[in-house]
Amino acid sequence: DSIWDLVDPADLTDFARQLPDEEDTSTLKRFLPDVFGDQLDFEMLVAGLDVTRAAPVRPFDVESPIIGRPGFSSRRGSLPPISVKMLLRERERLMLNALGSRTREEREIDAIFDDAARVAKSVAAGLELLRGDLLTDGIITLNERGMVSVPIDFGVPGSHKPTAATVWSDPTADIIGALRTWLTLYKTDTGAPVERIVTSTLVRGYM
């Protein structure tokens, strides 16, 4: 028998898509939320730094100076699949059928939805790792199961990817001083202060 004889594919898909939101343990989705769509190809526009420049005072009847707009670049690509699967082997099915007082069909339907939940959580965990990869250096690099892709570069300037002069696990490291320097650089380059810093409990312990 096929699982589609027991459950509707649309119902199982809706269940799997909603589950990560209901039991979400992601810390990075707030910055890079999921966007569902039916297209495999994508195109995105990446804006340059939009620094606000102060307008000068001018005499009457003198033409206003012209200021520029931030530049844009376009990036196109195709979304690769991210997935796992689970097998229900004959022995497991027999053991499942021997449990409880409900009908075999009810137990198998529950098992199908339980497996769908495990698969959905696994995919959500994989996406969370990709978010972390992107937020680390502005680049996503895919190199799994023999698939090597061109890095997806979101154009973060090299100066915005600093390395601490002294490793922060060293008690002599000036962590606050380094952060102040980086925050000042960001504000100088963008014209806006940093809104939020994401770090780990390990780094917080070093502070």
Side-chain angles (χ1 to χ4, degrees):
D1 294 340
S2 168
I3 64 171
W4 308 132
D5 295 329
L6 299 173
V7 297
D8 183 87
D11 291 341
L12 193 61
T13 300
D14 289 342
F15 169 80
R17 284 188 170 184
Q18 293 171 10
L19 186 72
D21 288 332
E22 295 174 357
E23 302 181 12
D24 192 11
T25 58
S26 166
T27 59
L28 304 180
K29 189 185 290 187
R30 72 189 75 172
F31 310 111
L32 299 169
D34 292 333
V35 178
F36 293 108
D38 297 324
Q39 301 297 321
L40 295 179
D41 296 329
F42 68 89
E43 179 179 7
M44 59 183 178
L45 295 177
V46 180
L49 296 177
D50 189 5
V51 179
T52 301
R53 303 188 182 281
V57 178
R58 62 176 178 80
F60 287 104
D61 301 323
V62 174
E63 184 177 357
S64 300
I66 299 173
I67 62 175
R69 297 184 180 88
F72 290 88
S73 61
S74 175
R75 287 177 172 78
R76 299 181 178 87
S78 296
L79 298 174
I82 175 170
S83 63
V84 293
K85 64 181 179 180
M86 299 184 68
L87 300 177
L88 182 59
R89 303 182 187 279
E90 182 179 9
R91 185 173 184 274
E92 294 169 335
R93 189 167 183 175
L94 290 173
M95 292 176 64
L96 178 66
N97 291 337
L99 296 175
S101 58
R102 293 177 301 162
T103 66
R104 184 187 69 177
E105 182 175 295
E106 289 173 334
R107 290 192 294 270
E108 290 182 350
I109 290 174
D110 284 348
I112 290 170
F113 278 93
D114 287 345
D115 286 350
R118 294 184 183 95
V119 168
K121 291 176 182 178
S122 177
V123 171
L127 292 174
E128 183 76 349
L129 290 176
L130 291 175
R131 292 187 185 97
D133 184 16
L134 174 59
L135 291 175
T136 299
D137 58 6
I139 300 174
I140 292 179
T141 303
L142 302 177
N143 185 13
E144 298 182 58
R145 298 181 64 85
M147 181 185 68
V148 180
S149 71
V150 176
I152 306 170
D153 191 342
F154 285 74
V156 177
S159 60
H160 289 191
K161 297 184 268 188
T163 300
T166 304
V167 64
W168 285 2
S169 58
D170 188 330
T172 65
D174 184 7
I175 300 176
I176 302 301
L179 287 174
R180 286 174 176 164
T181 299
W182 301 341
L183 294 176
T184 300
L185 173 64
Y186 182 88
K187 185 174 182 180
T188 300
D189 288 349
T190 66
V194 172
E195 294 184 2
R196 188 173 298 175
I197 297 176
V198 180
T199 189
S200 64
T201 54
L202 178 64
V203 170
R204 289 172 60 186
Y206 292 150
M207 292 180 179

